[in-house]
């Protein structure tokens, strides 16, 4: 029995130390060594740590080494007996160890290399005086150190929040947060444990009991049988026989009223609605969305505003009865929701598999920094006491109780500090305002440096010029990282701010920078491109026009050649044939119409020896000159020649088709004498009229 009590006492001591909020930083957290000789708080809240001449700086969660060229520090001619610090203004720190003096720019967070040029005899004397020595722990600090049983200390300083930093010679840094109200840890037979656990554990075989407005009790037993218990009759009316669909649920966990008639029954393999008036079932409207994550329901709560909170094995969901949508709550340190409870102000709290979280008005994860054990809470084992405390039962016969306002407090949000920046994966002390187009992979590390309660901080950030909406970050570690890859050229503003548990957002920290265009995208390059494009376009257009001209010339030559061929064919047809067909001796409709008019006019006056070119021109309404040009174009002869040729061709037809004498034929075609007729006929046909007629007779 005694051994059990000692073991329980030892466990309690371990638990108290674990949840006290104290932290211990070692080389595993970025310290170069465990030998801490100096700790200096910078104006922005970061802590500069000297580990035997190797420096590092806090980033809110761990430490980053600060580059320092030891060869460019001021070398002392004689060693000093200790470490010292002297502040010059609000930005320059003079640090000395046994052998060297360092100059540190607290604003830019880098060491200044021209230490010797800045020193003078008076400043050197001040740095090495006792005023610059590391202060010894005060009595109150010593009392805290003794209570923590920390030995081999080198220094102790308080930060801006009142937290105590304790440096040691070989064991790194211990941090004791400022005094805050802590939750009460209850164990054993404490009645608060039973009060919290009574929310889920019933006597006998009853899983849950819910009092209905009409006096009935909705009960579910351990065999997953649902029914109404009638207190006056002391009888139970089973629903499983009337509603066989109930038998598919393996374990009914609890019930939550939706309105005066409908109840939500949540189970380990689904959720449904029961109408307690008509005893009918209906599907829960948001089940499909919830069960994308988990169908195991652990708890359910309806708050004072009518919002429905649903805790599952993988996520907390909230539904607004006036809307059809349901939202999965983000930012929780653990998504396995064990219990839900309202505090006196109507704020929703959740017990999870890793501590407790306040859900409204903002999500705040309570952890070891707040004195809460990092352990799993029990299912539906949470309650609000009459004195306003919230009680959550945990495993191992333990419960935590606290007043919400005392636990969270009303701290103001701290400004966000950019603790580290990287370009293409490489650390830079400062981000240049102008970056090349290849320097487009940027990483920003930031923190409020809230060492006391980092889990209370919520961050949001965005990159102006790329994003309109804020990105959220709330992992409770006190440090967040934002990375942007393959940023296009442009002007950007990185913005980040933090909020505390109160929900109030602090000031926005901004960093402006430009990613320059590559040279091939600069204005002068674009002008060159335009000139090249215009030049190439001009050459292409000229080449196109040249080809088009050549093509047109070729086509025109082809057309001209074809016209020549057609002219030759027409003239040959006119010269060889005794018949004159206008369509065969012309090449277009206009010429054909003109020749037809000419033939008609000549035929009308074919026996008139006085009919000449002037009369022909008048008959077809043309000038003599125009008629002359047209005849030259069509047949290459004069109008007079055309009239004579028509007369002779008509004579050839008469010689072939009639028995008229040559004298009669000559008269009919307008020749005065037969001799002239014969002479002209022979010139045209190569034979005399008589000879022309003879072959025709032989045919």
């Amino acid at each position: 029995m005694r051994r059990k009590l000692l073991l329980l006492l030892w466990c309690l001591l371990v638990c108290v130390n674990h949840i006290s909020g104290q932290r211990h930083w070692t080389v595993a957290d970025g310290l170069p060594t465990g030998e801490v000789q100096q700790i200096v708080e910078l104006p922005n809240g970061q802590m500069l740590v000297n580990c035997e001449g190797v420096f590092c700086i806090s980033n809110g969660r761990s430490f980053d080494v600060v580059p320092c060229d030891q060869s460019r520090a001021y070398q002392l001619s004689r060693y000093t007996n200790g470490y010292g610090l002297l502040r010059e203004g609000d930005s320059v720190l003079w640090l000395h160890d046994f052998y060297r003096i360092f100059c540190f720019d607290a604003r830019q967070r880098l060491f200044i290399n021209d230490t010797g040029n800045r020193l003078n005899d008076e400043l050197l004397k001040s740095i090495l005086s006792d005023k610059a020595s590391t202060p010894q722990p005060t009595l109150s600090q010593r009392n805290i150190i003794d209570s923590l049983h920390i030995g081999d200390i080198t220094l102790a300083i308080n930060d801006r929040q009142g937290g105590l930093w304790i440096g040691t010679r070989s064991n790194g840094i211990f941090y004791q947060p400022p005094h805050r109200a802590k939750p009460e840890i209850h164990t054993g037979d404490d009645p608060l444990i039973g009060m919290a656990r009574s929310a889920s554990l019933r006597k006998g075989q009853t899983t849950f009991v819910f009092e209905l407005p009409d006096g009935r009790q909705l009960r579910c037993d351990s065999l997953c049988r649902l029914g109404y218990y009638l207190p006056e009759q002391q009888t139970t009316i089973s629903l499983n026989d009337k509603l066989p669909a109930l038998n598919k649920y393996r374990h009914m966990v609890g019930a939550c009223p939706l309105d005066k008639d409908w109840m939500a029954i949540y189970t380990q393999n689904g959720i449904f609605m029961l109408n307690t008036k008509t005893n009918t079932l209906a599907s829960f409207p948001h089940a499909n969305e919830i069960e994308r994550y988990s169908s195991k329901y652990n708890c359910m709560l309806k708050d004072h505003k009518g919002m429905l909170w649903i805790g599952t094995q993988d996520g907390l969901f909230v539904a607004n009865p006036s809307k059809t949508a349901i939202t999965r709550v983000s930012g929780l340190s653990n998504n396995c929701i064990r219990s839900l409870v309202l505090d006196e102000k109507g704020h929703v709290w959740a017990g999870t598999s890793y501590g407790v979280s306040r859900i409204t008005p903002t999500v705040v994860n309570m952890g070891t920094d707040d004195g809460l054990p990092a352990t799993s809470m029990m299912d539906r084992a949470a309650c609000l006491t009459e004195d306003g405390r919230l009680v959550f039962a945990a495993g191992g016969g333990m419960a935590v109780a606290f007043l919400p306002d005392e636990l969270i407090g009303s701290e103001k949000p701290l400004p966000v500090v950019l603790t580290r920046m990287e370009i293409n994966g490489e650390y830079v002390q400062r981000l240049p305002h102008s970056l090349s187009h290849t320097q487009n992979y940027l990483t920003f590390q930031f923190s409020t440096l809230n060492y006391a309660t980092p889990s209370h901080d919520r961050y949001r950030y965005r990159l102006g010029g790329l994003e309109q909406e804020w990105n959220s970050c709330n992992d409770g570690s006190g440090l967040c990282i934002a990375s942007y890859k393959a940023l296009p050229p442009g002007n950007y503003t990185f913005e980040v701010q933090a909020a505390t548990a109160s929900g109030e957002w602090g000031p926005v920290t901004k960093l402006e920078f430009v990613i320059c265009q590559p040279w091939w995208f600069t204005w002068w390059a674009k002008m060159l491109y335009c000139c090249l494009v215009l030049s190439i376009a001009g050459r292409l257009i000229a080449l196109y026009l040249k080809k088009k001209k050549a093509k047109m010339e070729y086509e025109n030559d082809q057309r001209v050649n074809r016209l020549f061929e057609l002219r030759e064919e027409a003239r040959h047809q006119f010269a060889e044939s005794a018949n004159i067909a206008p369509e065969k001796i012309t090449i277009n409709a206009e010429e054909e119409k003109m020749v037809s008019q000419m033939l008609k006019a000549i035929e009308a006056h074919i026996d008139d020896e006085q009919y000449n070119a002037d009369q022909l021109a008048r008959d077809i309404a043309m000038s003599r000159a125009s008629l002359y040009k047209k005849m030259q174009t069509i047949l290459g002869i004069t109008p007079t020649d055309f009239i004579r040729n028509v007369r002779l061709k008509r004579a050839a037809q008469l010689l072939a088709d009639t028995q008229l004498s040559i004298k009669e034929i000559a008269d009919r075609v307008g020749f005065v004498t037969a001799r002239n007729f014969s002479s002209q006929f022979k010139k045209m046909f190569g034979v005399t009229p008589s000879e022309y007629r003879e072959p025709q007779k032989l045919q």
Side-chain angles (χ1 to χ4, degrees):
M1 183 65 180
R2 184 178 180 182
R3 288 185 62 188
K4 289 183 178 180
L5 290 175
L6 289 174
L7 180 61
L8 178 60
L9 180 61
W10 179 82
C11 291
L12 287 174
L13 288 174
V14 170
C15 180
V16 169
N17 287 333
H18 181 63
I19 65 177
S20 65
Q22 177 187 319
R23 283 189 288 280
H24 182 201
W25 290 298
T26 66
V27 292
D29 302 294
L31 292 176
T33 71
E35 303 164 292
V36 178
Q37 300 294 347
Q38 282 179 309
I39 302 177
V40 183
E41 185 175 27
L42 304 182
N44 66 356
Q46 286 187 277
M47 309 300 285
L48 179 67
V49 181
N50 182 353
C51 296
E52 283 286 0
V54 183
F55 295 88
C56 61
I57 193 168
S58 63
N59 58 32
R61 180 173 61 192
S62 57
F63 296 85
D64 298 316
V65 173
V66 181
C68 177
D69 188 346
Q70 303 257 348
S71 65
R72 303 187 69 174
Y74 181 80
Q75 307 295 320
L76 295 172
S77 58
R78 291 184 301 174
Y79 74 89
T80 61
N81 187 23
Y83 291 76
L85 161 70
L86 181 68
R87 297 181 185 269
E88 184 182 0
D90 61 351
S91 62
V92 177
L93 299 178
W94 292 96
L95 308 166
H96 78 81
D97 59 14
F98 291 105
Y99 313 104
R100 295 167 296 265
I101 294 178
F102 304 91
C103 186
F104 186 76
D105 188 328
R107 295 296 181 190
Q108 299 188 44
R109 288 167 282 175
L110 52 83
F111 282 93
I112 302 170
N113 290 323
D114 61 340
T115 307
N117 297 331
R118 291 171 173 260
L119 281 172
N120 54 50
D121 292 340
E122 184 177 350
L123 181 59
L124 180 60
K125 183 178 179 181
S126 298
I127 294 172
L128 299 178
S129 68
D130 290 339
K131 294 180 181 179
S133 300
T134 302
Q136 296 300 310
T138 64
L139 179 60
S140 61
Q141 291 174 339
R142 175 60 67 179
N143 290 335
I144 295 175
I145 293 170
D146 292 341
S147 68
L148 297 174
H149 305 288
I150 300 174
D152 202 24
I153 70 165
T154 55
L155 76 157
I157 68 166
N158 287 101
D159 62 20
R160 61 183 176 178
Q161 293 178 287
L164 181 62
W165 294 67
I166 306 166
T168 67
R169 288 186 175 84
S170 60
N171 203 17
I173 299 172
F174 290 88
Y175 173 77
Q176 180 65 27
H179 176 74
R180 296 171 55 235
K182 299 294 183 181
E184 303 166 358
I185 307 298
H186 299 269
T187 59
D189 297 329
D190 194 299
L192 279 178
I193 299 177
M195 183 184 300
R197 297 180 67 180
S198 66
S200 61
L201 300 180
R202 299 288 180 178
K203 294 181 179 180
Q205 300 298 314
T206 304
T207 302
F208 67 81
V209 177
F210 192 90
E211 300 287 342
L212 298 177
D214 58 8
R216 293 178 298 167
Q217 295 179 356
L218 180 64
R219 290 189 176 188
C220 181
D221 60 25
S222 59
L223 298 178
C224 200
R225 295 185 61 82
L226 190 66
Y228 300 115
Y229 177 73
L230 308 180
E232 294 182 358
Q233 291 84 357
Q234 295 186 353
T235 58
T236 299
I237 301 174
S238 176
L239 291 174
N240 288 64
D241 296 335
K242 297 180 179 179
L243 303 171
L246 295 174
N247 297 320
K248 72 176 183 179
Y249 298 101
R250 65 171 181 262
H251 180 64
M252 297 183 189
V253 175
C256 180
L258 302 178
D259 55 31
K260 63 178 183 179
D261 294 328
W262 287 97
M263 298 284 293
I265 312 295
Y266 49 100
T267 79
Q268 288 189 343
N269 65 327
I271 186 172
F272 62 92
M273 296 192 303
L274 170 67
N275 189 311
T276 57
K277 185 176 181 180
T278 61
N279 294 333
T280 55
L281 302 180
S283 59
F284 190 71
H286 306 295
N288 290 338
E289 178 65 22
I290 295 173
E291 290 172 16
R292 290 173 51 208
Y293 300 90
S294 175
S295 61
K296 186 177 185 295
Y297 296 79
N298 294 329
C299 50
M300 202 165 179
L301 174 71
K302 189 175 183 181
D303 66 16
H304 301 331
K305 298 179 181 179
M307 305 292 285
L308 194 63
W309 301 85
I310 306 160
T312 72
Q313 197 75 1
D314 185 19
L316 174 63
F317 299 83
V318 56
N320 189 335
S322 62
K323 300 180 181 178
T324 58
I326 190 169
T327 304
R328 189 171 188 256
V329 178
S330 60
L332 298 174
S333 60
N334 185 269
N335 284 321
C336 182
I337 311 302
R338 297 294 188 184
S339 58
L340 291 168
V341 65
L342 295 175
D343 64 17
E344 283 188 323
K345 294 181 178 180
H347 297 157
V348 179
W349 291 72
T352 74
S353 284
Y354 193 74
V356 175
S357 296
R358 191 195 70 181
I359 310 303
T360 59
T362 59
V363 174
V364 180
N365 297 309
M366 319 304 292
T368 55
D369 296 336
D370 305 286
L372 284 168
T375 186
S376 178
M377 301 296 117
M378 291 184 63
D379 287 346
R380 297 168 302 287
C383 66
L384 173 66
T385 64
E386 292 182 356
D387 59 3
R389 288 182 296 172
L390 289 179
V391 184
F392 289 85
M398 181 177 66
V400 291
F402 54 86
L403 289 169
D405 288 344
E406 290 185 359
L407 187 64
I408 290 183
S410 58
E411 64 264 24
K412 293 292 183 179
L414 296 169
V416 180
V417 177
L418 294 172
T419 56
R420 183 182 178 91
M421 289 170 284
E422 294 180 358
I423 301 176
N424 294 346
E426 295 184 3
Y427 166 74
V428 292
Q429 291 180 326
R430 297 185 66 189
L431 188 73
H433 179 72
S434 296
L435 302 171
S436 73
H437 69 280
T438 60
Q439 296 175 304
N440 60 351
Y441 176 13
L442 303 181
T443 300
F444 302 97
Q445 177 182 280
F446 47 89
S447 173
T448 61
L449 306 172
N450 178 5
Y451 304 107
T453 54
S455 61
H456 290 194
D457 288 337
R458 294 183 297 122
Y459 297 89
R460 64 182 185 181
Y461 63 90
R462 64 185 175 188
L463 187 60
L466 180 69
E467 301 170 312
Q468 294 291 331
E469 301 297 327
W470 290 95
N471 303 294
S472 61
C473 178
N474 185 26
D475 64 0
S477 67
L479 179 69
C480 287
I481 296 176
S483 295
Y484 295 92
K485 299 180 180 180
L487 288 174
N491 298 323
Y492 297 98
T493 302
F494 181 71
E495 300 176 290
V496 59
Q497 62 181 151
T500 58
S502 65
E504 178 184 355
W505 289 101
V508 178
T509 298
K510 296 183 178 182
L511 179 63
E512 296 181 352
F513 61 94
V514 177
I515 296 182
C516 299
Q517 296 277 6
W519 67 264
W520 53 87
F521 281 159
T522 55
W523 67 266
W524 55 267
K526 292 179 180 178
M527 290 293 294
L528 178 61
Y529 299 152
C530 290
C531 292
L532 289 174
V533 169
L534 291 175
S535 176
I536 293 172
R539 293 181 64 87
L540 291 175
I541 291 172
L543 182 60
Y544 168 76
L545 293 176
K546 183 178 179 181
K547 289 184 176 181
K548 186 175 182 180
K549 181 179 179 182
K551 182 179 179 182
M552 291 175 65
E553 289 177 351
Y554 173 77
E555 292 176 349
N556 187 56
D557 290 343
Q558 292 295 103
R559 285 195 296 269
V560 170
N561 292 336
R562 180 58 180 162
L563 287 174
F564 283 147
E565 291 177 0
L566 293 174
R567 290 294 184 200
E568 289 300 318
E569 291 178 6
R571 291 173 181 179
H572 179 74
Q573 173 70 20
F574 180 73
E576 295 295 328
S577 176
N579 295 320
I580 302 177
E583 70 275 6
K584 292 185 178 182
I585 63 174
T586 59
I587 60 173
N588 56 51
E590 182 182 356
E591 292 181 353
E592 181 180 345
K593 180 179 179 182
M594 174 184 159
V595 170
S596 297
Q597 290 175 342
M598 291 172 63
L599 289 175
K600 185 177 181 181
I602 294 171
E603 287 288 345
H605 302 86
I606 197 167
D607 59 349
D608 183 1
E609 62 181 283
Q610 300 299 324
Y611 191 76
N612 57 26
D614 291 336
Q615 292 175 314
L616 176 61
R618 286 195 298 270
D619 288 342
I620 63 173
M622 290 182 69
S623 67
R624 179 183 176 87
S626 297
L627 178 60
Y628 181 85
K629 290 180 180 179
K630 284 289 186 180
M631 292 309 300
Q632 287 292 325
T633 300
I634 298 172
L635 296 174
I637 59 177
T638 66
T640 300
D641 292 337
F642 183 73
I643 294 172
R644 184 181 63 248
N645 290 345
V646 172
R647 292 177 187 275
L648 293 173
K649 288 180 180 291
R650 180 60 176 154
Q653 292 176 0
L654 293 173
L655 287 171
D657 299 337
T658 70
Q659 295 299 319
L660 295 174
S661 66
I662 294 175
K663 178 68 172 66
E664 291 176 325
I665 291 174
D667 290 338
R668 286 195 178 191
V669 296
F671 285 91
V672 178
T673 64
R675 177 178 292 184
N676 185 31
F677 167 67
S678 296
S679 174
Q680 295 296 329
F681 190 90
K682 187 173 183 180
K683 286 181 181 180
M684 184 172 184
F685 293 104
V687 294
T688 65
S690 301
E691 293 172 340
Y692 184 85
R693 175 173 276 180
E694 289 301 325
Q696 300 295 329
K697 290 181 178 180
L698 293 175
Q699 294 177 2

